[in-house]
Amino acid sequence: MRDVAVVGFAQRQMREFDGSPNCVELLVPILTELWEQTGWSKSDIGFWCSGSSDYLAGRSFSFVTAIDALGAVPPISESHVEMDAAWALYEVWLKIQTGEADTGLVYGFGKSSASPLRRTLALQLDPYTVTPLWPDTVSIAGLQARLGLDQGAWSEGDLAEVAARSRTSASDNEYAVRKGETSVDDVLAQPMFSDPLRRWDCAPVTDGAAAMIIAATDSPLYEQVKERSATITGFAHNADASSLGLRDLLRSPSTAAAGKAAGVDGSTTYDVAELHAPFSHQELILRRELGLGTGTTINPSGGALAANPMFSAGLIRIGEAARRIWSGEARTALAHATSGPALQQNLVCTLEGAH
Amino acid sequence: MGKQRAAVVGVGQTYYRAKREDVSMPGMLREAIDRALEDAGMTFADIDAVVVGKAPDLFEGVMMPELFLAESIGAVGKPLLRVHTAGSVGGSTAIVAASLVQSGVHDKVLTVAYEKQSESNAMWALSVPVPFTMPVHAGAGGYFAPHVRAYIRRSGAPLDTGAIVAAKDRQNALKNPHAHLRNPDTTVESVLASQMLWDPVRYDETCPSSDGACAMVIAAEDVVESRGVASPAWIHGQVMRSEPLAYSERDQVNPRAGRDAAAYLWNKVGVTNPLEEIDCAEIYVPFSWFEPMWMENLGFAAEGDGWKLTQSGATALGGQLPVNMSGGVLSSNPIGASGMIRFAEAALQVRGRAGEHQVDGAKRAMGHAYGGGSQFFAMWVVGNYKL
C-alpha cells in the first residue's frame, strides 16, 4: 500500500445554517480554507469524491450542483457516495492506491435541520416490514440502551459519564453546538428525553459540512505540505445486518472487523480516539469492540454528542484526529465513522505523525 | 505502484420489465447477483466486498437502501459501498468495484446496480421544486431535446438519423433475451410515424422506464489464473469525468467532460484510432440522437460526422463499429443499472458470451455511461487479452 497522509481539513458545524445557504455557498469558504492550508489549487487535485444524501436534501440528485463549487473547467475526475464523507475519503484513498491519482479532495455536507431527522432516518429501515411502523432513530437507540441497562452491560451513571465528558471536552471546540463544563450529576439531573436516554445522551441535530485533502507521501506535491501531515496507517470498513432482530445490539461486529482490518490489534495504544457515537451508550460499545483502554483520550473534540452533522460527522472525526497529530498533541490516533440504524455500518481509520 | 490487473469473471442480469411486482427489491437484486455468482463459479463466501449503485433514493422511497439490503446481497460482515453519481452511476459503480481490486485491497468483489422504477414515478421524483432554481417540469426528454436540435443545426444531419438509431436498437433488442422492449415490427418508418414528444424526439426514440438489476464479479489476476477462468474480460482502463451543469461557453451538445474522458481513456489503453481499434461499443443512448452525438464526443467520428456512421450502417450489428448490440438504453432502462449494463454487455462481448447479439471475434469493447445534464461521464475498455 502507498502511504497516504491527511494534509488539509476544514469544517463547519452549527445548529442551523444561517440564511439557508445552498451547497455551493456552503462549500466555497470551506474549500478556500483548504487552499490556504496547502497552498494548492484545483489543478493540484487528482481525484474528488463527496458524500451526501438526497433524502436529507429532500430532492433527487442534490449533490449534482455541489460541483459548481469546484470551478468550471477543466472537468475533474470525480465521484460521489450516498454515505458519510468518511466513505468518500475511502474511495479517494483507493484511487490513490491504484496509482491513478496522487492527491484527492473529499467533502461532505448536509442540512439535518430541514426535516424531523429522527423520522427521516426511519426511511433507512426495511421498507416492507419495518419502516411502516416508523421506528425513529432515537427510539431505536433507546431500545439499545435499555437492553444494555437490563443486561448489566452499562449503568445510567456510565452513560452520564460519557455525556458529561463529551460536553466538557467540547468546551474548546468552536464548532460544537452543545458544550460546557458538565458533571455526571448535572447529566443525571436532566429529565428523560426518550427513556432511558436524556437529551444530552443523544447527538444534537446539526447542520454542517467538512472537506479534507489527502496526498500520497511518495508524490512530489507532498513535499510542499509535509510539515503538517498525518499518515493513514490503516483504513477499513464493514457492515452488519440491518434487521435489528438479527443483531446482538450490545455488540458491533462490523466495528471489530473494521478495526481488525485496519490493524487495530491491541499492539498500539492510540493517544487519541475520535469515535462517531451519536448516543452515549454507543461510545461504550465502540470502545469495547476496538479495545480502547484508559491510555487513550476519547473524543477530545466532544464527539458526536457535541455536534453531529449528517454525512460529514464521520469525516470530521478523521479530521479532528488528524488535527491533533498536526499539533503534536498526539502521535497516534484512531478515528471511527458510523452509518445506519444502531451502528449498522462502521469505518476505522488510524493515523500517525511523521515525528 | 502495486496496481494489479482486474477482470470481469461473472455477469448476471434480470429480465428487464416495466414492473416487477412479483419480487421485492432484495428478490430482484438476487436474481442478478445469483446469476453473476454462478457465472463466476463463486458463492457469497468467496466475495470480499460489495459495491452497490443506484440512482436517486427517491425513486424507490428508501433512504440508502443498501443498508436494508445488506443481508440479501451478502454484504454482512463485509465492506459495503454505495455509489451515486446520477445517470452514470452504473458505470461509476463498476469503476469503484474495479478499483477495489486494482488497488490490491481485495481480490474478489461483487458489484450490483439496480432500479425498481415501478415503485414510484421517476419524472415526479426528479421534479421536486427547489428554491431559487428554475423548474424544468419536462422530464429528461424535455431537458435534452434542445441539445438534439442544436446538434441537427450544427451538423446538418438528415432528420431520419434518430429514427435509424431507434429502429436498429429495437431490432437488436430482439436478439437479447433480457431486453425490456420487444417490438418486432419497429422500422425507420414506424419510428418516424410515432408521436412527437419533445421535438425532435419521438415516442419511439425514447427510453422506457424499467425495473431491473445487473451484477458483476470482478477478480484479480491471480484469482483468474488460479481458478482457470475460461473467458475473463480484462479491464484495460477506466475513467470518470465531471463538469458543472452551467458555465459560460459550456458546450452541452459535445461536452468537454466527455471529450476529455475519452481522450484520457484512449491514451491510457493505447488506442489511437478508436473506430479502427475498438470492435464494438455499448454507449448510453437514452434518446436516439445521442448515438451520433456521442460518436463525436468519444472520438469515433470527427465533429459533425457522427450521423454518417449511423446513416452508413456502421453502428449496426455487422457494421464497422456495432453500437448497442444489446438494444441499449433505448430498449431497457432501469436507470441506476443502465450504466452497469453497458459495462457488463461490453464484457460479455469480449468474453464471447453475448449470445445472439454477439459481435464475431470482438477483442476490445467500450462501455459508456453519462448522467446529470450531460455532465458526468464514466467509461471503460475491456478486452479478451491482458494489457
Side-chain angles (χ1 to χ4, degrees):
Chain A
M1 294 288 116
R2 291 175 92 184
D3 272 344
V4 176
V6 178
V7 299
F9 173 63
Q11 60 172 312
R12 297 286 186 280
Q13 303 185 90
M14 61 205 83
R15 212 171 272 285
E16 279 182 28
F17 286 140
D18 190 21
S20 196
N22 64 30
C23 51
V24 176
E25 291 166 321
L26 188 64
L27 288 168
V28 166
I30 294 175
L31 296 172
T32 304
E33 260 184 57
L34 289 183
W35 305 140
E36 284 165 1
Q37 285 178 22
T38 55
W40 293 355
S41 63
K42 180 182 170 181
S43 59
D44 295 314
I45 302 299
F47 187 67
W48 309 66
C49 194
S50 58
S52 70
S53 162
D54 278 353
Y55 257 101
L56 211 61
R59 59 170 296 209
S60 298
F61 296 134
S62 56
F63 60 92
V64 164
T65 48
I67 65 164
D68 287 356
L70 311 180
V73 285
I76 53 174
S77 182
E78 187 260 355
S79 185
H80 173 264
V81 294
E82 197 85 356
M83 309 175 84
D84 186 285
W87 279 266
L89 179 71
Y90 184 81
E91 189 179 331
V92 175
W93 177 82
L94 267 183
K95 192 59 103 178
I96 293 175
Q97 295 303 335
T98 66
E100 286 179 51
D102 289 337
T103 58
L105 191 151
V106 57
Y107 58 93
F109 56 93
K111 186 176 176 177
S112 312
S113 67
S115 68
L117 181 66
R118 56 193 282 187
R119 192 170 159 85
T120 303
L121 291 175
L123 290 164
Q124 290 181 331
L125 299 158
D126 185 308
Y128 304 103
T129 59
V130 186
T131 300
L133 305 170
W134 291 97
D136 67 86
T137 319
V138 180
S139 302
I140 289 172
L143 289 171
Q144 189 179 30
R146 172 60 64 197
L147 187 69
L149 289 172
D150 288 353
Q151 297 199 359
W154 48 70
S155 67
E156 227 181 314
D158 293 336
L159 303 194
E161 259 180 52
V162 171
R165 193 205 64 238
S166 299
R167 290 176 58 86
T168 303
S169 301
S171 300
D172 303 330
N173 180 354
E174 62 173 307
Y175 299 109
V177 304
R178 209 177 260 167
K179 57 182 166 183
E181 199 71 35
T182 307
S183 70
V184 169
D185 288 339
D186 292 339
V187 177
L188 291 173
Q190 292 286 312
M192 284 296 172
F193 174 56
S194 187
D195 195 352
L197 299 174
R198 294 174 169 83
R199 203 178 271 278
W200 292 351
D201 289 314
C202 311
V205 173
T206 312
D207 293 350
M212 180 179 284
I213 294 180
I214 59 173
T217 60
D218 59 15
S219 76
L221 274 170
Y222 176 71
E223 290 301 311
Q224 304 167 8
V225 292
K226 66 178 180 185
E227 291 310 313
R228 211 177 64 149
S229 84
T231 304
I232 294 171
T233 49
F235 205 171
H237 60 97
N238 204 285
D240 290 320
S242 151
S243 172
L244 300 173
L246 285 178
R247 290 157 63 183
D248 175 356
L249 292 177
L250 301 185
R251 302 300 305 257
S252 178
S254 61
T255 299
K260 193 172 165 220
V264 180
D265 58 5
S267 64
T268 304
T269 300
Y270 297 95
D271 296 331
V272 159
E274 279 283 341
L275 304 177
H276 187 192
F279 298 92
S280 48
H281 64 279
Q282 293 179 344
E283 183 192 297
L284 303 173
I285 298 173
L286 295 171
R287 274 159 51 181
R288 174 182 174 187
E289 299 296 353
L290 294 168
L292 298 173
T294 48
T296 301
T297 305
I298 307 288
N299 288 346
S301 70
L305 295 185
N308 187 39
M310 297 300 296
F311 299 91
S312 58
L315 183 69
I316 289 171
R317 303 279 72 73
I318 300 170
E320 286 287 353
R323 241 162 42 83
R324 282 175 174 76
I325 287 175
W326 294 347
S327 71
E329 221 174 300
R331 198 188 65 80
T332 55
L334 181 153
H336 159 270
T338 196
S339 171
L343 300 176
Q344 188 191 345
Q345 199 174 12
N346 295 281
L347 173 146
V348 172
C349 178
T350 57
L351 299 157
E352 194 175 87
H355 318 294
Chain B
M1 300 285 183
K3 180 170 168 155
Q4 65 165 320
R5 287 194 184 96
V8 178
V9 298
V11 171
Q13 301 184 62
T14 61
Y15 293 88
Y16 306 114
R17 297 290 180 265
K19 293 179 191 228
R20 285 298 307 273
E21 288 173 340
D22 57 323
V23 284
S24 62
M25 273 179 263
M28 192 180 78
L29 266 72
R30 277 299 284 275
E31 289 181 8
I33 289 171
D34 290 353
R35 287 170 190 149
L37 288 171
E38 192 188 350
D39 187 15
M42 293 186 192
T43 67
F44 278 136
D46 296 308
I47 297 297
D48 303 322
V50 183
V51 186
V52 178
K54 71 174 293 301
D57 290 359
L58 276 78
F59 283 3
E60 287 86 3
V62 186
M63 183 179 187
M64 301 155 76
E66 66 283 0
L67 292 169
F68 99 88
L69 290 166
E71 288 109 311
S72 49
I73 61 175
V76 173
K78 291 172 188 170
L80 168 63
L81 281 168
R82 158 70 193 288
V83 181
H84 181 198
T85 62
S88 60
V89 62
S92 310
T93 304
I95 289 173
V96 173
S99 67
L100 277 168
V101 174
Q102 292 163 335
S103 61
V105 173
H106 296 300
D107 58 16
K108 296 179 290 295
V109 174
L110 170 70
T111 183
V112 60
Y114 79 99
E115 210 70 71
K116 204 159 187 290
Q117 286 210 61
S118 64
E119 299 280 338
S120 76
N121 181 317
M123 176 155 157
W124 296 119
L126 290 173
S127 300
V128 177
V130 181
F132 312 112
T133 304
M134 176 74 105
V136 178
H137 287 317
Y143 183 84
F144 290 117
H147 304 177
V148 173
R149 285 200 294 278
Y151 173 73
I152 294 170
R153 179 188 57 78
R154 280 194 208 178
S155 67
L159 293 176
D160 63 352
T161 306
I164 294 173
V165 174
K168 167 190 68 103
D169 286 2
R170 295 280 159 73
Q171 289 298 323
N172 286 353
L174 300 174
K175 300 182 192 306
N176 175 9
H178 296 102
H180 171 183
L181 295 185
R182 320 189 65 78
N183 304 322
D185 303 327
T186 307
T187 61
V188 175
E189 293 69 34
S190 73
V191 174
L192 288 171
S194 70
Q195 185 176 358
M196 188 64 83
L197 291 184
W198 306 276
D199 195 352
V201 179
R202 292 179 170 81
Y203 182 81
D204 277 355
E205 296 178 271
T206 304
C207 57
S209 285
S210 312
D211 285 355
C214 178
M216 288 192 283
V217 178
I218 296 176
E221 183 173 11
D222 55 353
V223 172
V224 175
E225 317 246 293
S226 67
R227 287 178 164 254
V229 174
S231 55
W234 294 101
I235 300 167
H236 287 183
Q238 68 269 327
V239 65
M240 289 191 268
R241 283 288 184 280
S242 311
E243 69 182 29
L245 179 67
Y247 57 86
S248 51
E249 298 187 16
R250 174 167 186 247
D251 187 345
Q252 304 199 62
V253 176
N254 190 6
R256 179 164 169 189
R259 278 184 281 135
D260 285 8
Y264 172 91
L265 184 59
W266 298 138
N267 179 53
K268 180 141 182 157
V269 304
V271 163
T272 50
N273 183 342
L275 187 61
E276 296 290 336
E277 296 168 60
I278 296 295
D279 298 313
C280 56
E282 285 278 342
I283 308 290
Y284 203 101
V285 177
F287 302 99
S288 60
W289 282 92
F290 275 84
E291 176 178 294
M293 288 161 68
W294 291 148
M295 287 294 101
E296 296 174 24
N297 190 245
L298 296 172
F300 288 109
E303 191 157 8
D305 286 349
W307 60 269
K308 293 176 186 166
L309 289 177
T310 301
Q311 289 275 349
S312 71
T315 59
L317 268 171
Q320 184 182 11
L321 177 77
V323 173
N324 293 331
M325 302 69 70
S326 67
V329 181
L330 276 181
S331 304
S332 315
N333 185 33
I335 298 178
S338 290
M340 188 171 287
I341 298 168
R342 307 279 73 71
F343 280 48
E345 283 284 347
L348 287 174
Q349 289 289 343
V350 300
R351 295 173 72 204
R353 297 197 178 186
E356 266 195 82
H357 61 287
Q358 176 70 43
V359 173
D360 282 343
K363 292 185 188 65
R364 243 182 171 190
M366 172 186 241
H368 162 275
Y370 87 97
S374 301
Q375 297 166 261
F376 301 96
F377 295 85
M379 310 167 193
W380 79 6
V381 169
V382 285
N384 68 354
Y385 57 95
K386 288 181 201 171
L387 186 69

